[in-house]
Amino acid sequence: MIVPAQFYLALAAILFFIGVFGFFTRRNLISLLISTELMLNTVDINFAVFNAYCHPEHLEGFFFTMFGIGVAAAETAVAIAIIINVFRNVKSIHIKNMKELKH
Amino acid sequence: MDYTIFILALPLLSFLILGLCGMKMPHKTAGLIGTFSLGAVAVLSYITAALYFGAGRDADGLFATIIPYNICWLPLGETLSIEMGILLDPISVMMLIVISTVSLMVHIYSLGYMKGERGVQRYYAYLSLFTFSMLGLVVATNIFQMYVFWELVGVSSYLLIGFYYTKPAAIAASKKAFIVTRFADLFFLIGILLYGYYAETFSFTPAETVLMTAGGIIPVALGLMFIGGAGKSAMFPLHIWLPDAMEGPTPVSALIHAATMVVAGVYLVARMFPLFIDFAPDTLHMVAYVGAFTALYAAVVACVQTDIKRVLAFSTISQIAFMMVALGVCTSADPHEGGLGYMASMFHLFTHAMFKGLLFLGAGAIIHAVHSNEKSYMGGLRKYMPVTHATFLIACLAIAGIPPFSGFFSKDEILVACYDYSTMMGIFMSFVAALTAFYMFRLYYLIFWGKSYYEQQLALYKEGKSSHEPHKPHEAPATMTVPLVILATISVFAGFIPFGEFISSNGHAYTIHLNYAVAAVSIFLAIAGITLATIMYRKGTSSLTVSINRNLKGLIDAAYHRFYMDELWLFVTKRIIFNCISRPIAWFDRHIIDGTMDLMATLTQKLGTWVRPMQSGNVQSYSVWFLSGALILVLILIYFV
């Protein structure tokens, strides 16, 4: 039996808004990073789904998925590095203490 | 005549040297640098004159107009350009002699007069600047160059009037002189621009054909130029700056405000004379009427002033007005038929520069001796200052028109020209000439005769009524008396120069011959004026003086206050122009123009205050804004596109 595409898309949408909600409400930089990753992954799911259902003869969507996973990994590495540096400077990873970044 | 460039370059050079490093020099060096450069300029001027007039007349019977230099300074278009150069013709060569002679005398005189003053170097720098500008003015090849140097003499006059810059009166006088002449120069500039536009050149000799088509506008342009000249030459009602200009050092008054700069207006009219005669004779006659009125006005005012330099200032205004009248009464370019005034005017300019320079320098020596300008501090000075007395007397006789002194010949020519024009004008000017003799001898007697202020004070001191011993008046040092003697010599003999041989309205030789009827009348009037002055002032205050003072009190008071012309100007400028024009403009500027700008600034600021809190630095609130924006865009895309 073939699972209809809507289920995948609904899953992606739900995961995406969980990520958005987490991004808006959490105060911990690591949690924010996890939320961002969640949103990125839903996009990867969407790429894969649309490729599989709309153009099964092509592979570009899967490539994009792979690419997205790679970028997400790199981004995570950078973000973790930034967070560590921030922690060293402000002794905290609470977002409230990040206000000095403005200007 | 390539060396003529040095006549301009030397004073400029000495101005630069004294201006840039004068303060490091001792006073004496600075004075000597100025004097020697002027001496060289004077020698060059005399050589130029000798060569120029010595070269003789060409086939047409004219002295050639020589232009050794003419450099295009500012091209304004295809046809119109402004040149800078040197032009030698009879009147400019004559002016070279006048300016360099008087300027040299003043330089020498100032060595004594300014001794020990602060800023002598600055003084000599300004004198050099003035001489440079004045020489540039007279040798101008075109009206625009003349205007440039015209403004330069204005600036140097301003600087020299305000030389004693710690004296409020001097500062006020310098500002007044500058503003009044600038105001007149505005008209001059408009006249020049009109002239340049319609005559298609700035030179003094535009093409005849162009002038024919532009005929109607030329009188207007010339009239506007005359207003500029009237400002510089202190014609009524723009004369108000000249009496106040006497706040400057006295040698400056002699050079700038008596002998040279103030005749620039006369020179301007003389320079434009061919155009006046051919295209604007009515404007020229207006010049005569303005001049005649000014001559009378200034002469009347001069009769009652108590400050000796003011008397001389008004006498200067009156004499310049004589020159203006002489130019104005010309009816043709032929000296034999109504063009005599041109020659007479230039002749009087020449002689007047000498004897008026002498009078001012003499007054300077007197002021130097008694430390005051007021007549009440003088009296009986002839015993103490014999040289000054003798030279001053010569100058007074010259200006009063007593033969054989120079003023007689030039003034006589002017009067002949006036009688040729109309009998009324002649009688009027003869009357003013009589007044001239009266006020000059009033001045002479007040200074040199009558009760001595010094002796009175000395007597008081000896009786113990005065606490300090008065300062004894003394003759001036040789640096001051030598120029006096030289100028006095010129004043005695200048009348015998065959002036018409060199300068006349159409350039041809003209032999001056005395008109005996006019000469007899003017001698008689001059002697009458002198006699009256002798009766009234020789022995201090006579009974006649007292009764005249009583009977004509109103007139004398009014004349003492210069017929309230300054008050009138103040009323016009302060009450009318300030209140009716300046204040509304200021209000418009402050409330409408500034208001608009302020409104824009306030709006921007308000908007900024409103927007600023959005930039909170809180990343999450930014992302909320970002997401809501993205959602709104998505909705728009879905529902509207």
Side-chain angles (χ1 to χ4, degrees):
Chain A
M1 144 187 144
I2 299 167
V3 181
Q6 289 90 330
F7 286 85
Y8 292 101
L9 295 181
L11 173 71
I14 290 164
L15 283 179
F16 182 81
F17 278 99
I18 288 171
V20 168
F21 180 76
F23 192 82
F24 286 172
T25 53
R26 303 310 293 260
R27 293 289 181 264
N28 187 307
L29 283 180
I30 303 288
S31 310
L32 291 187
L33 183 60
I34 293 170
S35 308
T36 321
E37 290 307 312
L38 205 53
M39 287 189 272
L40 264 173
N41 286 343
T42 63
V43 177
D44 291 342
I45 292 172
N46 276 11
F47 272 125
V49 169
F50 282 119
N51 192 344
Y53 283 78
C54 302
H55 302 284
E57 71 281 7
H58 291 148
L59 292 173
E60 278 94 340
F62 294 122
F63 288 155
F64 258 101
T65 307
M66 302 306 289
F67 202 69
I69 289 168
V71 168
E75 183 230 310
T76 310
V78 173
I80 288 290
I82 292 175
I83 291 168
I84 290 170
N85 270 310
V86 165
F87 180 74
R88 281 183 185 162
N89 279 302
V90 246
K91 303 285 176 240
S92 159
I93 50 168
H94 201 281
I95 194 146
K96 200 169 64 187
N97 301 326
M98 296 287 100
K99 296 212 168 162
E100 281 169 26
L101 287 179
K102 78 174 176 181
H103 296 307
Chain B
M1 291 194 164
D2 284 344
Y3 62 86
T4 44
I5 194 79
F6 288 107
I7 295 179
L8 288 185
L10 279 174
L12 181 62
L13 196 68
S14 105
F15 164 64
L16 290 177
I17 292 173
L18 291 175
L20 292 176
C21 37
M23 282 309 171
K24 295 194 178 62
M25 298 175 190
H27 288 188
K28 206 161 186 186
T29 323
L32 287 178
I33 288 178
T35 312
F36 275 111
S37 81
L38 236 292
V41 168
V43 169
L44 283 176
S45 300
Y46 298 149
I47 294 174
T48 310
L51 290 179
Y52 183 82
F53 289 120
R57 295 167 179 276
D58 59 16
D60 298 331
L62 304 172
F63 285 110
T65 301
I66 303 173
I67 302 182
Y69 291 94
N70 207 16
I71 300 152
C72 181
W73 181 58
L74 189 64
L76 290 177
E78 291 287 310
T79 50
L80 203 56
S81 65
I82 299 175
E83 277 106 25
M84 286 282 162
I86 293 178
L87 175 136
L88 297 177
D89 72 346
I91 55 171
S92 71
V93 172
M94 186 274 291
M95 288 299 284
L96 282 185
I97 297 178
V98 171
I99 294 161
S100 55
T101 308
V102 180
S103 188
L104 178 63
M105 291 306 129
V106 166
H107 272 78
I108 297 173
Y109 180 91
S110 302
L111 290 176
Y113 187 85
M114 299 299 285
K115 200 171 190 174
E117 294 273 0
R118 265 188 76 216
V120 174
Q121 304 96 329
R122 189 162 54 90
Y123 173 82
Y124 273 99
Y126 292 164
L127 274 190
S128 296
L129 175 66
F130 170 77
T131 313
F132 161 69
S133 332
M134 193 67 208
L135 292 168
L137 192 159
V138 296
V139 297
T141 55
N142 58 72
I143 190 79
F144 214 99
Q145 183 189 351
M146 201 168 174
Y147 180 70
V148 171
F149 283 96
W150 184 277
E151 293 300 337
L152 271 176
V153 288
V155 169
S156 27
S157 155
Y158 163 80
L159 292 170
L160 282 165
I161 297 170
F163 179 73
Y164 298 120
Y165 57 82
T166 48
K167 259 169 72 185
I171 298 301
S174 66
K175 277 194 288 193
K176 187 174 180 182
F178 197 67
I179 292 168
V180 173
T181 49
R182 277 295 328 175
F183 171 69
D185 292 347
L186 176 66
F187 295 97
F188 188 18
L189 181 61
I190 297 171
I192 290 174
L193 295 180
L194 274 181
Y195 175 81
Y197 185 78
Y198 285 99
E200 295 175 8
T201 173
F202 286 118
S203 83
F204 301 118
T205 47
E208 286 283 325
T209 48
V210 178
L211 280 185
M212 285 302 168
T213 52
I217 208 77
I218 294 298
V220 180
L222 290 175
L224 288 168
M225 284 183 201
F226 169 67
I227 296 181
K232 208 55 125 199
S233 286
M235 289 294 107
F236 186 89
L238 295 167
H239 66 280
I240 49 165
W241 65 271
L242 187 57
D244 288 8
M246 299 303 145
E247 289 295 339
T250 310
V252 167
S253 309
L255 175 61
I256 302 185
H257 307 116
T260 56
M261 187 188 83
V262 286
V263 296
V266 179
Y267 182 74
L268 173 69
V269 177
R271 189 40 97 193
M272 306 310 276
F273 185 76
L275 291 175
F276 268 112
I277 278 292
D278 288 343
F279 295 96
D282 293 333
T283 317
L284 195 58
H285 300 326
M286 276 305 297
V287 173
Y289 294 121
V290 171
F293 181 76
T294 310
L296 177 69
Y297 165 83
V300 171
V301 174
C303 287
V304 295
Q305 294 296 313
T306 55
D307 179 329
I308 60 168
K309 280 180 79 182
R310 297 247 153 156
V311 176
L312 292 178
F314 279 102
S315 138
T316 307
I317 298 176
S318 181
Q319 294 302 308
I320 295 166
F322 262 91
M323 302 170 206
M324 284 286 190
V325 170
L327 284 171
V329 294
C330 288
T331 47
S332 83
D334 187 346
H336 296 282
E337 292 169 18
L340 174 65
Y342 179 87
M343 190 282 292
S345 171
M346 291 296 108
F347 195 11
H348 198 55
L349 193 161
F350 183 81
T351 56
H352 172 259
M354 301 304 162
F355 58 67
K356 187 51 68 66
L358 171 57
L359 281 171
F360 266 104
L361 293 184
I366 294 155
I367 292 166
H368 198 69
V370 302
H371 305 291
S372 170
N373 287 8
E374 283 295 318
K375 69 170 168 97
S376 47
Y377 291 90
M378 296 161 190
L381 286 178
R382 68 183 186 284
K383 274 176 283 182
Y384 302 101
M385 313 179 71
V387 180
T388 312
H389 170 239
T391 50
F392 204 88
L393 179 60
I394 289 172
C396 283
L397 288 169
I399 193 173
I402 300 294
F405 299 98
S406 58
F408 164 73
F409 295 94
S410 53
K411 197 178 277 184
D412 188 63
E413 294 300 316
I414 291 181
L415 292 177
V416 171
C418 291
Y419 279 107
D420 282 351
Y421 179 66
S422 76
T423 320
M424 270 308 295
M425 185 62 103
I427 293 170
F428 189 85
M429 294 314 286
S430 292
F431 173 67
V432 178
L435 271 181
T436 309
F438 171 73
Y439 68 68
M440 282 320 296
F441 273 84
R442 167 181 176 268
L443 182 68
Y444 166 74
Y445 284 121
L446 287 175
I447 296 173
F448 292 105
W449 295 71
K451 289 197 192 76
S452 167
Y453 176 78
Y454 164 70
E455 284 162 15
Q456 284 172 345
Q457 290 296 311
L458 195 65
L460 282 179
Y461 174 72
K462 280 184 179 154
E463 290 167 25
K465 285 178 186 163
S466 173
S467 55
H468 55 91
E469 190 176 358
H471 181 79
K472 190 180 180 199
H474 54 87
E475 183 56 277
T479 42
M480 288 163 73
T481 48
V482 167
L484 291 180
V485 172
I486 296 174
L487 283 175
T489 319
I490 301 176
S491 298
V492 172
F493 296 110
F496 297 104
I497 298 174
F499 214 75
E501 296 290 334
F502 303 123
I503 292 172
S504 73
S505 44
N506 59 1
H508 291 284
Y510 171 78
T511 315
I512 297 177
H513 34 74
L514 284 178
N515 181 327
Y516 288 104
V518 174
V521 170
S522 54
I523 293 171
F524 171 74
L525 284 171
I527 290 176
I530 294 171
T531 316
L532 185 61
T534 313
I535 296 169
M536 283 173 71
Y537 296 105
R538 165 121 195 266
K539 297 246 158 49
T541 316
S542 70
S543 56
L544 181 62
T545 323
V546 174
S547 74
I548 286 179
N549 279 347
R550 199 182 310 120
N551 292 330
L552 293 175
K553 194 167 186 324
L555 179 67
I556 288 172
D557 269 359
Y560 181 74
H561 291 107
R562 313 168 202 174
F563 295 103
Y564 304 102
M565 278 314 295
D566 286 66
E567 284 77 4
L568 188 67
W569 270 104
L570 269 187
F571 177 77
V572 169
T573 50
K574 274 208 171 142
R575 290 288 146 76
I576 297 178
I577 295 181
F578 279 16
N579 281 344
C580 302
I581 299 173
S582 309
R583 272 178 214 279
I585 290 175
W587 184 89
F588 185 81
D589 182 50
R590 242 164 250 155
H591 292 93
I592 308 292
I593 310 270
D594 287 6
T596 315
M597 293 300 151
D598 286 352
L599 183 70
M600 281 158 81
T602 319
L603 276 184
T604 315
Q605 205 177 9
K606 284 269 149 62
L607 201 67
T609 333
W610 181 59
V611 172
R612 206 179 303 136
M614 288 183 185
Q615 195 189 11
S616 58
N618 187 342
V619 183
Q620 284 172 318
S621 70
Y622 291 167
S623 57
V624 172
W625 283 112
F626 171 71
L627 185 77
S628 11
L631 281 179
I632 289 167
L633 277 179
V634 168
L635 290 178
I636 290 171
L637 282 175
I638 291 172
Y639 289 103
F640 295 102
V641 181

